[in-house]
Amino acid sequence: DTAVSQTPKYLVTQMGNDKSIKCEQNLGHDTMYWYKQDSKKFLKIMFSYNNKELIINETVPNRFSPKSPDKAHLNLHINSLELGDSAVYFCASSQFLEWTEETQYFGPGTRLLVL
Amino acid sequence: AQSVSQHNHHVILSEAASLELGCNYSYGGTVNLFWYVQYPGQHLQLLLKYFSGDPLVKGIKGFEAEFIKSKFSFNLRKPSVQWSDTAEYFCAVNAANNAGNMLTFGGGTRLMVKP
């Protein structure tokens, strides 16, 4: 069974469009994350979220917004897509938002290409 | 802010050679340390982790890592690599003062093992 899943696997779109990436976890975790991996393979956190708190990496443009319909899902909405948004986006989950001794589990990634 | 450095960007080895990948981090307090592996076209998988206790930790597929607190290092080792170890390896740190339980990743090391 897939622990953290993402859809779509690939997304090709035009500049200026609005798109969403979906993430679901079946681990019963309370906290979910979005990470961005750029073309040079650098991985950076974008958001940490549970039902009480959203923590945003200060470098993330406000065109990006996480939406959580329930604790098993954290979708990523991107408005007015730009060429520089092309990357692989990884969702992850863990039990706690506060620091503790635990592991984050990653989804398979969504490869976004903006033309 | 915490940072993570991986000194080797690209490593090429022949099968059966020994491997050591360097990882240094900048935070002086309590940390969780991880090595993740990304096989070509696949998602991030956890290789091993250190939370506390024995600084020598063993992971999957024969990998191990040693936490040396005085050197702020968490180097990854494998005595004898295989062709199937060809992948990108990421060191990650989660510092205890970290709002949002966010992982900070190193830049990654691309390992190519020649058969």
Short mmCIF file of all heavy atoms in Angstrom, two decimals, chain A residues 33 35 37 41-43 45 48 55 57 90 94 96-104 106-108, chain B residues 30 32 34 36 38 43-44 46 49 51-52 88 90 94-96 99-103 105 107 110:
data_model
loop_
_atom_site.label_atom_id
_atom_site.label_comp_id
_atom_site.label_asym_id
_atom_site.label_seq_id
_atom_site.Cartn_x
_atom_site.Cartn_y
_atom_site.Cartn_z
N TYR A 33 3.68 18.17 4.50
CA TYR A 33 4.67 19.14 4.03
C TYR A 33 4.67 19.15 2.50
O TYR A 33 4.34 18.16 1.85
CB TYR A 33 6.09 18.73 4.47
CG TYR A 33 6.23 18.41 5.94
CD1 TYR A 33 5.90 17.15 6.42
CD2 TYR A 33 6.72 19.35 6.83
CE1 TYR A 33 6.03 16.84 7.77
CE2 TYR A 33 6.87 19.05 8.17
CZ TYR A 33 6.52 17.79 8.63
OH TYR A 33 6.66 17.49 9.97
N TYR A 35 7.69 20.07 -0.43
CA TYR A 35 9.07 20.41 -0.76
C TYR A 35 9.18 20.61 -2.26
O TYR A 35 8.48 19.97 -3.04
CB TYR A 35 10.02 19.27 -0.36
CG TYR A 35 10.21 19.08 1.13
CD1 TYR A 35 9.29 18.36 1.87
CD2 TYR A 35 11.31 19.62 1.78
CE1 TYR A 35 9.46 18.17 3.24
CE2 TYR A 35 11.50 19.45 3.15
CZ TYR A 35 10.57 18.72 3.86
OH TYR A 35 10.75 18.54 5.21
N GLN A 37 11.97 20.47 -5.46
CA GLN A 37 13.29 20.07 -5.93
C GLN A 37 13.53 20.71 -7.29
O GLN A 37 12.85 20.38 -8.26
CB GLN A 37 13.41 18.55 -6.02
CG GLN A 37 14.82 18.08 -6.39
CD GLN A 37 14.94 16.57 -6.42
OE1 GLN A 37 14.07 15.87 -6.92
NE2 GLN A 37 16.03 16.04 -5.87
N LYS A 41 18.58 19.67 -8.47
CA LYS A 41 18.31 18.68 -7.42
C LYS A 41 18.28 19.25 -6.01
O LYS A 41 18.24 18.49 -5.05
CB LYS A 41 19.31 17.51 -7.47
CG LYS A 41 19.27 16.75 -8.78
CD LYS A 41 18.06 15.87 -8.86
CE LYS A 41 18.13 14.92 -10.03
NZ LYS A 41 16.97 13.98 -10.09
N PHE A 42 18.33 20.58 -5.87
CA PHE A 42 18.22 21.15 -4.53
C PHE A 42 16.80 20.99 -4.02
O PHE A 42 15.84 21.35 -4.69
CB PHE A 42 18.59 22.64 -4.53
CG PHE A 42 20.07 22.88 -4.68
CD1 PHE A 42 20.59 23.40 -5.84
CD2 PHE A 42 20.94 22.59 -3.64
CE1 PHE A 42 21.95 23.62 -5.99
CE2 PHE A 42 22.30 22.80 -3.77
CZ PHE A 42 22.80 23.31 -4.94
N LEU A 43 16.69 20.47 -2.80
CA LEU A 43 15.40 20.25 -2.15
C LEU A 43 15.18 21.30 -1.07
O LEU A 43 16.00 21.44 -0.17
CB LEU A 43 15.38 18.88 -1.48
CG LEU A 43 14.85 17.72 -2.26
CD1 LEU A 43 15.33 16.43 -1.66
CD2 LEU A 43 13.31 17.75 -2.24
N ILE A 45 12.18 23.09 1.62
CA ILE A 45 10.85 23.06 2.21
C ILE A 45 10.05 24.27 1.74
O ILE A 45 10.58 25.36 1.57
CB ILE A 45 10.94 23.04 3.76
CG1 ILE A 45 9.57 22.96 4.40
CG2 ILE A 45 11.69 24.28 4.25
CD1 ILE A 45 8.88 21.65 4.24
N SER A 48 4.92 23.64 6.06
CA SER A 48 4.58 22.62 7.05
C SER A 48 3.15 22.93 7.50
O SER A 48 2.82 24.10 7.74
CB SER A 48 5.49 22.68 8.27
OG SER A 48 6.82 22.49 7.93
N ILE A 55 2.97 26.76 8.55
CA ILE A 55 4.25 27.46 8.61
C ILE A 55 4.81 27.51 7.19
O ILE A 55 4.92 26.48 6.53
CB ILE A 55 5.23 26.77 9.56
CG1 ILE A 55 4.64 26.78 10.97
CG2 ILE A 55 6.59 27.45 9.53
CD1 ILE A 55 5.47 26.13 12.01
N ASN A 57 7.74 28.69 4.45
CA ASN A 57 9.10 29.14 4.21
C ASN A 57 9.02 30.53 3.59
O ASN A 57 8.29 30.74 2.62
CB ASN A 57 9.80 28.16 3.26
CG ASN A 57 11.25 28.51 3.04
OD1 ASN A 57 11.62 29.67 2.90
ND2 ASN A 57 12.08 27.50 2.98
N PHE A 90 7.53 17.51 -4.01
CA PHE A 90 7.35 16.34 -3.16
C PHE A 90 6.48 16.69 -1.97
O PHE A 90 6.71 17.68 -1.28
CB PHE A 90 8.69 15.83 -2.64
CG PHE A 90 9.54 15.16 -3.67
CD1 PHE A 90 10.56 15.84 -4.30
CD2 PHE A 90 9.32 13.83 -4.00
CE1 PHE A 90 11.35 15.22 -5.25
CE2 PHE A 90 10.11 13.20 -4.95
CZ PHE A 90 11.13 13.90 -5.58
N SER A 94 4.39 13.49 8.52
CA SER A 94 4.89 12.97 9.80
C SER A 94 3.78 13.16 10.82
O SER A 94 2.75 13.77 10.54
CB SER A 94 6.16 13.70 10.24
OG SER A 94 5.87 15.03 10.62
N PHE A 96 4.00 14.72 13.90
CA PHE A 96 4.00 15.95 14.68
C PHE A 96 4.52 17.13 13.88
O PHE A 96 5.40 16.99 13.02
CB PHE A 96 4.86 15.78 15.94
CG PHE A 96 4.36 14.70 16.85
CD1 PHE A 96 5.03 13.49 16.93
CD2 PHE A 96 3.21 14.88 17.60
CE1 PHE A 96 4.56 12.47 17.76
CE2 PHE A 96 2.74 13.88 18.42
CZ PHE A 96 3.42 12.67 18.51
N LEU A 97 4.00 18.29 14.16
CA LEU A 97 4.52 19.54 13.60
C LEU A 97 5.69 20.05 14.43
O LEU A 97 6.60 20.68 13.92
CB LEU A 97 3.41 20.60 13.54
CG LEU A 97 3.77 21.92 12.87
CD1 LEU A 97 4.13 21.70 11.40
CD2 LEU A 97 2.64 22.92 12.98
N GLU A 98 5.67 19.72 15.72
CA GLU A 98 6.78 20.15 16.59
C GLU A 98 7.93 19.18 16.42
O GLU A 98 7.72 17.99 16.10
CB GLU A 98 6.33 20.17 18.06
CG GLU A 98 5.15 21.07 18.33
CD GLU A 98 3.84 20.42 17.93
OE1 GLU A 98 3.78 19.18 17.91
OE2 GLU A 98 2.89 21.16 17.63
N TRP A 99 9.12 19.64 16.68
CA TRP A 99 10.29 18.79 16.56
C TRP A 99 10.21 17.63 17.53
O TRP A 99 9.92 17.80 18.72
CB TRP A 99 11.55 19.60 16.86
CG TRP A 99 12.81 18.81 16.66
CD1 TRP A 99 13.52 18.69 15.52
CD2 TRP A 99 13.49 18.02 17.64
NE1 TRP A 99 14.62 17.88 15.71
CE2 TRP A 99 14.62 17.45 17.01
CE3 TRP A 99 13.27 17.73 18.99
CZ2 TRP A 99 15.51 16.61 17.66
CZ3 TRP A 99 14.17 16.91 19.65
CH2 TRP A 99 15.27 16.34 18.98
N THR A 100 10.50 16.43 17.04
CA THR A 100 10.59 15.25 17.87
C THR A 100 11.38 14.21 17.10
O THR A 100 11.78 14.44 15.96
CB THR A 100 9.20 14.72 18.27
OG1 THR A 100 9.35 13.66 19.22
CG2 THR A 100 8.45 14.18 17.07
N GLU A 101 11.59 13.08 17.70
CA GLU A 101 12.38 12.04 17.04
C GLU A 101 11.47 11.21 16.13
O GLU A 101 10.92 10.19 16.55
CB GLU A 101 13.06 11.16 18.08
CG GLU A 101 14.13 11.91 18.88
CD GLU A 101 14.88 11.02 19.85
OE1 GLU A 101 14.50 9.84 20.00
OE2 GLU A 101 15.84 11.50 20.48
N GLU A 102 11.30 11.68 14.91
CA GLU A 102 10.50 10.92 13.97
C GLU A 102 10.96 11.22 12.54
O GLU A 102 11.70 12.15 12.28
CB GLU A 102 9.01 11.24 14.13
CG GLU A 102 8.62 12.64 13.78
CD GLU A 102 7.13 12.84 13.60
OE1 GLU A 102 6.39 11.84 13.48
OE2 GLU A 102 6.70 14.00 13.55
N THR A 103 10.45 10.41 11.63
CA THR A 103 10.85 10.45 10.22
C THR A 103 9.73 11.04 9.39
O THR A 103 8.55 10.80 9.67
CB THR A 103 11.16 9.03 9.74
OG1 THR A 103 12.21 8.49 10.52
CG2 THR A 103 11.55 9.01 8.27
N GLN A 104 10.10 11.79 8.38
CA GLN A 104 9.12 12.22 7.38
C GLN A 104 9.13 11.22 6.22
O GLN A 104 10.19 10.80 5.78
CB GLN A 104 9.46 13.62 6.88
CG GLN A 104 9.26 14.69 7.94
CD GLN A 104 9.52 16.08 7.43
OE1 GLN A 104 9.52 16.35 6.23
NE2 GLN A 104 9.76 17.01 8.36
N PHE A 106 8.03 10.46 2.29
CA PHE A 106 7.85 11.25 1.08
C PHE A 106 6.99 10.54 0.05
O PHE A 106 7.01 9.31 -0.07
CB PHE A 106 9.20 11.59 0.45
CG PHE A 106 9.92 12.68 1.18
CD1 PHE A 106 10.61 12.42 2.35
CD2 PHE A 106 9.89 13.99 0.70
CE1 PHE A 106 11.26 13.43 3.04
CE2 PHE A 106 10.54 15.00 1.38
CZ PHE A 106 11.22 14.72 2.55
N GLY A 107 6.27 11.34 -0.71
CA GLY A 107 5.53 10.84 -1.86
C GLY A 107 6.44 10.68 -3.06
O GLY A 107 7.63 11.01 -3.00
N PRO A 108 5.89 10.21 -4.18
CA PRO A 108 6.70 9.93 -5.37
C PRO A 108 7.09 11.16 -6.17
O PRO A 108 7.90 11.06 -7.08
CB PRO A 108 5.78 9.01 -6.20
CG PRO A 108 4.41 9.40 -5.77
CD PRO A 108 4.51 9.76 -4.33
N THR B 30 20.55 20.26 19.46
CA THR B 30 20.06 18.90 19.22
C THR B 30 19.49 18.78 17.80
O THR B 30 18.75 19.66 17.35
CB THR B 30 18.96 18.55 20.22
OG1 THR B 30 19.48 18.70 21.55
CG2 THR B 30 18.47 17.12 20.03
N ASN B 32 18.07 15.92 14.57
CA ASN B 32 17.80 14.62 13.95
C ASN B 32 18.52 14.64 12.61
O ASN B 32 18.50 15.65 11.90
CB ASN B 32 16.31 14.41 13.72
CG ASN B 32 15.52 14.27 15.00
OD1 ASN B 32 16.05 13.88 16.04
ND2 ASN B 32 14.25 14.58 14.93
N PHE B 34 19.42 12.53 8.86
CA PHE B 34 18.88 11.54 7.93
C PHE B 34 19.76 11.46 6.68
O PHE B 34 20.38 12.44 6.27
CB PHE B 34 17.46 11.93 7.47
CG PHE B 34 16.48 12.18 8.59
CD1 PHE B 34 16.39 13.43 9.17
CD2 PHE B 34 15.65 11.17 9.04
CE1 PHE B 34 15.50 13.69 10.20
CE2 PHE B 34 14.75 11.41 10.06
CZ PHE B 34 14.67 12.66 10.65
N TYR B 36 18.72 10.22 2.83
CA TYR B 36 17.72 9.73 1.89
C TYR B 36 18.40 9.39 0.58
O TYR B 36 19.41 10.01 0.21
CB TYR B 36 16.64 10.79 1.62
CG TYR B 36 15.65 11.01 2.73
CD1 TYR B 36 15.91 11.91 3.76
CD2 TYR B 36 14.42 10.34 2.75
CE1 TYR B 36 14.98 12.13 4.77
CE2 TYR B 36 13.49 10.56 3.75
CZ TYR B 36 13.78 11.45 4.76
OH TYR B 36 12.85 11.66 5.75
N GLN B 38 17.62 8.74 -3.67
CA GLN B 38 16.67 8.91 -4.77
C GLN B 38 17.23 8.17 -5.98
O GLN B 38 18.19 8.63 -6.61
CB GLN B 38 16.47 10.40 -5.08
CG GLN B 38 15.37 10.68 -6.08
CD GLN B 38 15.15 12.17 -6.28
OE1 GLN B 38 16.05 12.99 -6.11
NE2 GLN B 38 13.93 12.55 -6.66
N HIS B 43 11.17 8.29 -6.10
CA HIS B 43 11.01 9.24 -5.02
C HIS B 43 12.06 9.03 -3.94
O HIS B 43 12.87 8.10 -4.01
CB HIS B 43 9.61 9.11 -4.42
CG HIS B 43 9.36 7.78 -3.76
ND1 HIS B 43 9.20 6.61 -4.47
CD2 HIS B 43 9.22 7.43 -2.46
CE1 HIS B 43 8.99 5.62 -3.65
NE2 HIS B 43 9.00 6.08 -2.42
N LEU B 44 12.07 9.90 -2.98
CA LEU B 44 13.02 9.83 -1.88
C LEU B 44 12.68 8.67 -0.95
O LEU B 44 11.53 8.52 -0.54
CB LEU B 44 12.96 11.12 -1.06
CG LEU B 44 13.55 12.35 -1.71
CD1 LEU B 44 13.07 13.60 -1.01
CD2 LEU B 44 15.06 12.28 -1.70
N LEU B 46 14.07 6.65 2.64
CA LEU B 46 14.94 6.77 3.80
C LEU B 46 15.97 5.64 3.82
O LEU B 46 15.61 4.47 3.77
CB LEU B 46 14.10 6.73 5.08
CG LEU B 46 14.87 6.90 6.38
CD1 LEU B 46 15.41 8.33 6.50
CD2 LEU B 46 13.97 6.58 7.57
N LYS B 49 18.73 6.85 9.75
CA LYS B 49 18.46 8.05 10.55
C LYS B 49 19.18 7.96 11.87
O LYS B 49 19.48 6.86 12.38
CB LYS B 49 16.95 8.19 10.79
CG LYS B 49 16.38 7.00 11.55
CD LYS B 49 14.87 7.02 11.54
CE LYS B 49 14.33 5.78 12.24
NZ LYS B 49 12.86 5.64 12.11
N PHE B 51 18.72 9.66 15.77
CA PHE B 51 18.00 10.54 16.70
C PHE B 51 18.82 10.75 17.96
O PHE B 51 19.04 11.86 18.40
CB PHE B 51 16.64 9.93 17.05
CG PHE B 51 15.66 9.88 15.90
CD1 PHE B 51 14.62 8.96 15.89
CD2 PHE B 51 15.75 10.76 14.84
CE1 PHE B 51 13.71 8.92 14.84
CE2 PHE B 51 14.84 10.74 13.79
CZ PHE B 51 13.82 9.80 13.79
N SER B 52 19.26 9.66 18.55
CA SER B 52 20.05 9.72 19.78
C SER B 52 20.67 8.35 19.99
O SER B 52 20.40 7.40 19.26
CB SER B 52 19.18 10.10 20.98
OG SER B 52 18.14 9.16 21.17
N GLU B 88 21.05 9.34 -6.38
CA GLU B 88 21.37 10.62 -5.75
C GLU B 88 21.15 10.44 -4.25
O GLU B 88 20.13 9.89 -3.82
CB GLU B 88 20.43 11.71 -6.29
CG GLU B 88 20.80 13.12 -5.91
CD GLU B 88 21.58 13.85 -7.01
OE1 GLU B 88 21.48 13.44 -8.18
OE2 GLU B 88 22.26 14.83 -6.67
N PHE B 90 20.98 12.22 -0.43
CA PHE B 90 20.73 13.50 0.24
C PHE B 90 20.87 13.34 1.75
O PHE B 90 20.23 12.46 2.35
CB PHE B 90 19.32 14.00 -0.07
CG PHE B 90 19.10 14.37 -1.49
CD1 PHE B 90 18.59 13.45 -2.40
CD2 PHE B 90 19.40 15.65 -1.96
CE1 PHE B 90 18.38 13.79 -3.73
CE2 PHE B 90 19.20 15.99 -3.28
CZ PHE B 90 18.69 15.06 -4.16
N ASN B 94 17.18 18.01 10.86
CA ASN B 94 16.04 18.65 11.47
C ASN B 94 16.48 19.11 12.85
O ASN B 94 16.69 18.29 13.75
CB ASN B 94 14.88 17.66 11.56
CG ASN B 94 13.60 18.31 11.99
OD1 ASN B 94 13.58 19.49 12.34
ND2 ASN B 94 12.51 17.57 11.97
N ALA B 95 16.67 20.41 13.00
CA ALA B 95 17.18 20.95 14.26
C ALA B 95 16.05 21.20 15.23
O ALA B 95 14.93 21.56 14.84
CB ALA B 95 17.93 22.26 14.00
N ALA B 96 16.36 21.07 16.51
CA ALA B 96 15.32 21.15 17.54
C ALA B 96 14.72 22.54 17.67
O ALA B 96 13.62 22.68 18.18
CB ALA B 96 15.90 20.70 18.88
N ALA B 99 11.21 25.80 13.66
CA ALA B 99 9.77 25.98 13.61
C ALA B 99 9.21 25.21 12.42
O ALA B 99 9.74 25.32 11.32
CB ALA B 99 9.43 27.45 13.47
N GLY B 100 8.18 24.45 12.66
CA GLY B 100 7.54 23.76 11.56
C GLY B 100 8.13 22.40 11.24
O GLY B 100 7.73 21.76 10.27
N ASN B 101 9.10 21.95 12.06
CA ASN B 101 9.63 20.59 11.89
C ASN B 101 10.15 20.36 10.47
O ASN B 101 9.99 19.29 9.89
CB ASN B 101 8.52 19.57 12.21
CG ASN B 101 9.07 18.24 12.63
OD1 ASN B 101 10.18 18.15 13.14
ND2 ASN B 101 8.32 17.20 12.39
N MET B 102 10.78 21.38 9.91
CA MET B 102 11.17 21.32 8.50
C MET B 102 12.54 20.68 8.34
O MET B 102 13.48 21.01 9.07
CB MET B 102 11.20 22.72 7.91
CG MET B 102 9.85 23.43 7.94
SD MET B 102 9.99 25.10 7.27
CE MET B 102 8.28 25.64 7.36
N LEU B 103 12.67 19.83 7.36
CA LEU B 103 13.96 19.26 7.02
C LEU B 103 14.75 20.23 6.17
O LEU B 103 14.21 20.85 5.25
CB LEU B 103 13.78 17.96 6.24
CG LEU B 103 13.29 16.74 7.00
CD1 LEU B 103 13.06 15.58 6.04
CD2 LEU B 103 14.28 16.34 8.07
N PHE B 105 17.87 20.11 3.61
CA PHE B 105 18.63 19.15 2.83
C PHE B 105 19.95 19.72 2.36
O PHE B 105 20.07 20.92 2.09
CB PHE B 105 17.83 18.72 1.59
CG PHE B 105 16.71 17.76 1.88
CD1 PHE B 105 15.47 18.21 2.26
CD2 PHE B 105 16.91 16.39 1.78
CE1 PHE B 105 14.43 17.32 2.53
CE2 PHE B 105 15.88 15.50 2.05
CZ PHE B 105 14.65 15.96 2.43
N GLY B 107 22.88 19.59 -0.74
CA GLY B 107 22.71 19.72 -2.18
C GLY B 107 22.68 18.40 -2.94
O GLY B 107 22.44 18.40 -4.14
N ARG B 110 25.59 12.85 -6.38
CA ARG B 110 25.22 11.88 -7.41
C ARG B 110 26.29 10.81 -7.48
O ARG B 110 27.46 11.10 -7.75
CB ARG B 110 25.08 12.57 -8.76
CG ARG B 110 24.65 11.63 -9.88
CD ARG B 110 24.18 12.38 -11.09
NE ARG B 110 22.97 13.15 -10.80
CZ ARG B 110 22.32 13.86 -11.71
NH1 ARG B 110 22.75 13.93 -12.94
NH2 ARG B 110 21.23 14.54 -11.38
#
